Amino acid sequence: MPSLLRFFEDRDLGYLRIVAELAGLELPDAPRAQMAAWLAEALTQPETLEAGLDALSAASQEAMNDLLQHAGQVPFADFSRQFGPMRDIGPARRDRELLWRSPVSPLEELWYRGYVGRAFLDTPSGPQEFVYIPDEIFAALGAPSAAPEPMMGRPAASPEHAQPATSALVDDATTLLAALRRRTENDPLPSRPLREHERSHLHFPQAVPLLMELLQELRILDRDSGLPRPEATREFLQSGRPEALRKLLLAWRDSSGWNDLSAVDHLRSTSDGWPNDPLRSRKAMLVFLSAIPPGTWWDLDSFLQDIQREHPGFQRPAADFDSWYLQDDEGNILHGINAWSWVDGAMLLGTIEHTLHWLGAVDLGMDRGRSGTTAFRLTPASPLLFDRPAEIEIQAPPGEIEISGRGVLRFARSAARTLRYQIARFADWGPADEANYEYLLTSDALRRASDQGLEVHHIQSLLEETTAQIPPSLIRALERYSRSGLEARIESVYLLRTETPGVMEELRTNRATSRYIKELIGPKTALIEKGQAPRLVEAALRVGLLLDSFSLNAAEDEK
């Protein structure tokens, strides 16, 4: 922080006289630089300083204590919001109206007594204006030079219901990579990268945009095509579950591409971009969280309230609440300090309830009779967010894999991720629940595998890696498909019956109706494709033959 001498050297002579008058001192008749040096030394004498602090109003003493608790400096916008205002007036009006004798706020009282200054100080996000206690006064008060950041919020009682963080996001990353691998260069990536039946395989469907960004940050996904990069994907899947979760957690911590503010569901930007710096916002959030001991339940409401009171402008340069124009999902403008809960508070809440919970860093607590999350608890993995050593321990025994004779593969959630990815990239996706994923080996799946360069013997090798017992009937079916391809199929068709072979012959040979007959399977029986049946009825009528279409109409009604 700047020194008191430097502060006085930058002030006009009238200000020095004001400080001396309020301290009961008489300035010497000397050049202004010597006056500034004399006043800086005299003001910090123990007796003078103690008398001056005792003479402060109760509100100004509170303001001084607040500065001391924050290591002697607070952003000007935050401090003036709580202990201001400070009138922006020139020396002539100040001296003419004797404004120092009737300050309008604690900030003005401290300013005219020389106990605080204003200056632009360097911060990680650039210069920012602060209110500060000059070095000599700070040292004379015996305050520590690096006071610890006060905790935001307070501990909470153990909640009635706890939702522990898990490593499920690692499984969702595997599912997402497999779904994307099924796409091709000619299958452009849509805004929703998973189809609806694929999304049912996710623990956290809401986390897909986050996962897409983190996998791109980790260079596992190609940012241009959105497709998995083979070698990076293999390394990620082969890494242990704790290491995979660690990679995702650190990728979020250091990401400049993911903006936690833009992830708030009800917020919309009124311009092409978002007004905040994502890394600045995240680093400020992590400072608040870093003071909370892992393993302790923490009251969520008091945490947000304390940040709103003590550091409302934590993510805004110069604590500026006037330059951001955001909208809610109904088009209402969210502007100024009064919108804090809808903007800054909502970002903090969403990061805790969603992002950090998905990433395995925060457990959530709920209580009956209260809506939403009431408490949170940092997990043993959370110190990684604050550049501290941490071990991620996951107690999950290897999951089992079952293979049925009808070609259904059931993977437990904790089964080998590499193997599930290989199967999921070509197999049909069946149902999924909290415990298992299901995949089906069908003719379509085998054709899809062939398109990806996987032959039947590759698939057999994959199945052998599962350590599950492969039913002999499935092995025989794969071997026959390898030799002969698809030998039978089930189709949905209509059956056409005539009363006599002559009627069938007329339909089969007439140019208007023959095109709709798929296959003759008897002198009075033929197969008709379902989509062609209505056209056959119309064509037969044109040649003078009325077909009974009762069954056809009934089937159409069922649709």
Side-chain angles (χ1 to χ4, degrees):
M1 292 175 287
S3 68
L4 184 60
L5 175 58
R6 179 178 175 183
F7 173 61
F8 282 163
E9 287 176 340
D10 292 339
R11 306 274 75 78
D12 63 273
L13 181 59
Y15 177 81
L16 299 181
R17 287 172 175 160
I18 291 169
V19 173
E21 175 188 318
L22 293 175
L25 300 171
E26 185 174 347
L27 283 173
D29 185 10
R32 188 169 66 88
Q34 295 181 18
M35 284 186 185
W38 182 89
L39 183 60
E41 183 176 355
L43 192 65
T44 54
Q45 293 301 310
E47 301 83 1
T48 305
L49 185 58
E50 182 178 359
L53 293 173
D54 287 344
L56 291 174
S57 66
S60 294
Q61 290 180 357
E62 179 186 353
M64 197 71 173
N65 288 333
D66 184 83
L67 272 170
L68 290 171
Q69 291 173 7
H70 290 87
Q73 61 182 42
V74 172
F76 177 78
D78 292 345
F79 194 80
S80 62
R81 192 177 295 112
Q82 187 172 0
F83 297 109
M86 184 172 179
R87 291 172 288 187
D88 188 11
I89 54 178
R93 180 187 169 194
R94 176 199 67 199
D95 296 343
R96 183 175 64 252
E97 299 181 15
L98 306 178
L99 298 180
W100 68 89
R101 296 182 180 175
S102 54
V104 297
S105 68
L107 175 54
E108 275 199 358
E109 184 176 359
L110 294 175
W111 170 266
Y112 285 128
R113 284 190 171 271
Y115 294 155
V116 300
R118 291 173 61 177
F120 281 88
L121 305 178
D122 289 332
T123 70
S125 59
Q128 183 174 350
E129 189 175 23
F130 282 80
V131 174
Y132 67 91
I133 301 175
D135 283 341
E136 295 90 333
I137 295 178
F138 193 74
L141 294 176
S145 58
E149 182 70 26
M151 288 186 181
M152 300 292 104
R154 62 177 185 273
S158 296
E160 294 173 329
H161 173 68
Q163 188 174 330
T166 68
S167 59
L169 197 67
V170 173
D171 299 312
D172 283 358
T174 305
T175 299
L176 176 60
L177 288 168
L180 294 173
R181 182 62 181 82
R182 294 164 70 92
R183 300 184 182 278
T184 65
E185 295 286 352
N186 298 323
D187 187 8
L189 189 68
S191 58
R192 297 184 68 180
L194 275 80
R195 298 176 174 89
E196 200 58 42
H197 73 281
E198 295 169 337
R199 289 175 66 86
S200 67
H201 281 235
L202 296 174
H203 285 276
F204 305 120
Q206 288 178 283
V208 169
L210 172 66
L211 269 178
M212 289 287 294
E213 178 60 37
L214 298 187
L215 292 172
Q216 289 172 353
E217 298 263 354
L218 291 167
R219 298 184 59 79
I220 296 171
L221 285 183
D222 182 87
R223 194 172 287 276
D224 293 329
S225 68
L227 298 176
R229 300 172 70 238
E231 186 59 34
T233 298
R234 186 181 305 110
E235 290 179 5
F236 177 74
L237 294 173
Q238 289 177 347
S239 63
R241 183 174 288 266
E243 177 61 19
L245 186 62
R246 178 181 177 276
K247 288 180 179 179
L248 294 173
L249 189 63
L250 295 182
W252 172 79
R253 185 194 70 182
D254 300 328
S255 172
S256 57
W258 175 257
N259 192 336
D260 300 285
L261 184 66
S262 70
V264 178
D265 285 341
H266 64 257
L267 288 184
R268 306 287 182 270
S269 175
T270 58
S271 61
D272 292 338
W274 289 81
N276 68 317
D277 177 338
L279 270 178
R280 171 192 169 95
S281 298
R282 191 173 305 119
K283 287 178 179 178
M285 285 191 287
L286 293 179
V287 168
F288 302 138
L289 289 168
S290 67
I292 299 173
T296 300
W297 283 108
W298 211 252
D299 184 79
L300 181 56
D301 286 344
S302 67
F303 179 73
L304 299 177
Q305 290 166 6
D306 280 2
I307 295 174
Q308 182 178 12
R309 183 180 65 253
E310 298 288 338
H311 302 284
F314 68 91
Q315 65 169 336
R316 299 173 183 251
D320 178 13
F321 281 87
D322 296 324
S323 61
W324 288 16
Y325 284 89
L326 301 176
Q327 292 179 333
D328 63 17
D329 46 16
E330 295 181 355
N332 300 310
I333 295 294
L334 302 173
H335 179 62
I337 186 66
N338 292 331
W340 191 91
S341 295
W342 286 92
V343 179
D344 311 81
M347 186 189 74
L348 289 167
L349 179 62
T351 301
I352 292 171
E353 279 193 316
H354 297 143
T355 306
L356 288 174
H357 179 65
W358 297 336
L359 288 166
V362 164
D363 298 328
L364 303 178
M366 298 85 176
D367 290 307
R368 284 193 299 269
R370 297 178 61 184
S371 61
T373 303
T374 58
F376 66 96
R377 177 175 62 187
L378 297 180
T379 70
S382 64
L384 285 171
L385 298 170
F386 320 126
D387 289 320
R388 302 173 194 158
E391 294 291 333
I392 299 181
E393 296 184 4
I394 299 174
Q395 303 299 327
E400 294 184 351
I401 302 173
E402 299 176 1
I403 306 176
S404 75
R406 55 191 181 92
V408 176
L409 284 71
R410 181 176 289 107
F411 283 75
R413 290 280 183 177
S414 56
R417 291 179 294 119
T418 303
L419 186 58
R420 182 167 74 85
Y421 168 81
Q422 294 288 357
I423 296 295
R425 58 185 273 196
F426 67 85
D428 290 353
W429 292 26
D433 55 32
E434 288 299 315
N436 300 291
Y437 305 92
E438 280 193 6
Y439 302 98
L440 292 81
L441 293 179
T442 63
S443 58
D444 285 342
L446 297 179
R447 280 195 296 270
R448 195 178 298 115
S450 179
D451 291 341
Q452 297 182 21
L454 293 174
E455 302 303 331
V456 171
H457 68 275
H458 294 135
I459 297 171
Q460 286 183 268
S461 297
L462 285 175
L463 296 180
E464 290 169 359
E465 290 180 24
T466 66
T467 70
Q469 184 173 354
I470 306 175
S473 59
L474 180 58
I475 295 176
R476 289 196 301 272
L478 290 173
E479 290 174 346
R480 288 190 65 167
Y481 183 89
S482 178
R483 290 194 307 269
S484 308
L486 186 63
E487 297 179 284
R489 61 173 57 88
I490 297 175
E491 297 180 351
S492 179
V493 295
Y494 281 121
L495 188 66
L496 172 66
R497 294 183 185 277
T498 61
E499 293 297 325
T500 65
V503 174
M504 178 60 72
E505 182 66 15
E506 183 180 355
L507 291 171
R508 188 184 66 81
T509 57
N510 189 285
R511 184 175 180 181
T513 56
S514 62
R515 71 185 70 177
Y516 301 116
I517 297 177
K518 178 179 176 65
E519 184 178 345
L520 193 67
I521 59 175
K524 297 189 295 183
T525 310
L527 299 180
I528 310 298
E529 290 186 3
K530 293 185 71 172
Q532 301 296 327
R535 294 184 177 88
L536 175 59
V537 171
E538 295 175 2
L541 186 60
R542 288 198 298 271
V543 298
L545 181 62
L546 185 63
L547 298 184
D548 180 3
S549 58
F550 173 79
S551 298
L552 173 62
N553 294 334
E556 293 298 322
D557 290 341
E558 288 178 3
K559 293 182 180 178

